Amino acid sequence: MLFPGDGITKGDLFEYYDAVSDVLVPHLRDRPFTMKRWREGIRGPVFFQKQAPKGMPDWIPTREFRTFPREGGSRLVDFPLVNSRDALLWMVQMHCIDLNAWYSRVDAPGRPDFVLFDLDPPETRDGFRRAVEVALLVREAVRPLESFVKTSGAGGIHVLVPIARRSSFERTHAYCERVSKGLEAEHPGLVTTEWLKEKRRGVFVDYHQNGWGKTIASVYSVRPKPGAPVSTPLIWEELTPDLDYRQLGMHEALERVERHGDLFAPVLELKQALSRGGRPASQQA
């Protein structure tokens, strides 16, 4: 029983990921994967595991990369790669509720596939509505580049800008910082880049998420929150103030895939030049 308040078991999670694997696995393939394990369900403790565990089947490939822990120093880690349906389901068997992988792939680990704008709303009644407003501002600020939006499933919003794999993480970080701080200057009180939570006023745009070894919950990930909401890709026109991300669960995610296909497929396909987008907000048409 992983979600005691909702009666959702590991078997239910397994069946969902099995059903959504065709559209999900391409977003994980060849990306170093961090296992986030909830062995006692969402009410219990969680731990992160980067090193491929002992006993992992040899048909799940690994790749070695250097990591830089917060406590300092560095170490080499054999990361598992979730390149198949069976590998995905093995991770569910290991109590991975949401699926966390790098922005870059193993053949070019220093070259991300996208820039991430991670929007974290304030803990107020209208927090998500304000995040919707900021997501729409981000969309305009990065034009003429195309961007794609999904609920984080945990209360926030992710806006991804797919790019050609020519930019370093330093460059994508600088780009996201420039756009985010431009929006903060134009919309004080609505947009903030303040790192300290107690000093924030508005929706936090975390441009620091663009960095080597950073991960986000993949599209179609179930999140370890009551109701088991899913990080759901949206059509921009669906992103309205009355959207309730908590109503986008496993059943709805599968229905939407049946209706729309993979709305995030272009994130894997578009190769946009980063230099073309991200004018300061004051210069937007």
Side-chain angles (χ1 to χ4, degrees):
M1 186 64 69
L2 295 182
F3 296 78
D6 304 287
I8 296 173
T9 67
K10 184 162 68 171
D12 297 323
L13 198 69
F14 192 95
E15 290 180 3
Y16 163 73
Y17 278 124
D18 187 16
V20 82
S21 61
D22 284 349
V23 293
L24 171 54
V25 169
H27 294 279
L28 301 175
R29 185 173 290 125
D30 290 331
R31 300 180 190 276
F33 183 87
T34 295
M35 300 174 68
K36 184 180 176 185
R37 301 179 64 181
W38 300 81
R39 292 197 293 199
E40 299 174 30
I42 67 170
R43 293 181 181 172
V46 61
F47 65 96
F48 291 85
Q49 184 170 356
K50 296 182 179 181
Q51 175 66 40
K54 293 180 180 179
M56 190 179 77
D58 58 12
W59 45 261
I60 298 179
T62 64
R63 284 291 294 271
E64 184 182 72
F65 291 102
R66 187 168 296 278
T67 65
F68 302 89
R70 290 181 181 178
E71 56 270 21
S74 67
R75 66 189 182 102
L76 292 172
V77 171
D78 290 309
F79 285 89
L81 304 179
V82 180
N83 289 355
S84 67
R85 166 187 168 276
D86 288 347
L88 167 63
L89 297 180
W90 191 85
M91 294 300 170
V92 178
Q93 175 66 8
M94 294 295 104
H95 298 94
C96 294
I97 293 177
D98 49 3
L99 309 169
N100 296 270
W102 285 20
Y103 307 1
S104 57
R105 288 173 273 164
V106 295
D107 60 333
R111 306 292 179 183
D113 289 281
F114 54 82
V115 180
L116 171 70
F117 290 83
D118 181 8
L119 311 186
D120 184 11
E123 295 176 358
T124 58
R125 184 176 297 181
D126 66 343
F128 187 78
R129 180 187 61 77
R130 298 177 75 186
V132 167
E133 188 176 351
V134 173
L136 295 172
L137 291 174
V138 169
R139 185 192 189 193
E140 291 304 314
V142 302
R143 290 187 188 277
L145 298 181
E146 252 191 282
S147 57
F148 298 83
V149 65
K150 68 184 180 77
T151 62
S152 75
I157 295 174
H158 294 155
V159 178
L160 278 70
V161 181
I163 57 173
R165 293 196 299 164
R166 293 193 292 267
S167 298
S168 65
F169 278 107
E170 290 77 15
R171 189 177 180 201
T172 58
H173 181 282
Y175 170 87
C176 190
E177 179 181 13
R178 176 167 56 86
V179 173
S180 302
K181 288 192 172 181
L183 290 174
E184 180 181 40
E186 293 245 331
H187 304 276
L190 175 62
V191 181
T192 182
T193 62
E194 172 58 55
W195 180 254
L196 294 177
K197 195 169 184 177
E198 58 270 20
K199 292 185 178 181
R200 291 178 197 165
R201 297 294 182 271
V203 176
F204 177 48
V205 185
D206 187 2
Y207 59 82
H208 297 290
Q209 286 297 331
N210 294 277
W212 170 271
K214 294 287 188 181
T215 66
I216 58 166
S218 170
V219 67
Y220 305 113
S221 282
V222 178
R223 303 309 304 275
K225 299 289 184 180
V230 169
S231 183
T232 303
L234 302 170
I235 299 167
W236 274 108
E237 287 70 27
E238 295 179 294
L239 193 67
T240 62
D242 58 353
L243 177 71
D244 186 351
Y245 73 91
R246 294 164 296 187
Q247 300 302 314
L248 297 172
M250 292 183 281
H251 176 73
E252 289 76 18
L254 292 174
E255 277 193 339
R256 290 175 61 82
V257 169
E258 184 70 23
R259 190 180 335 131
H260 300 298
D262 179 15
L263 290 174
F264 254 43
V267 174
L268 301 176
E269 298 162 359
L270 275 179
K271 296 174 172 56
Q272 304 181 103
L274 189 57
S275 59
R276 292 182 61 242
R279 292 170 292 161
S282 60
Q283 297 179 20
Q284 296 301 310

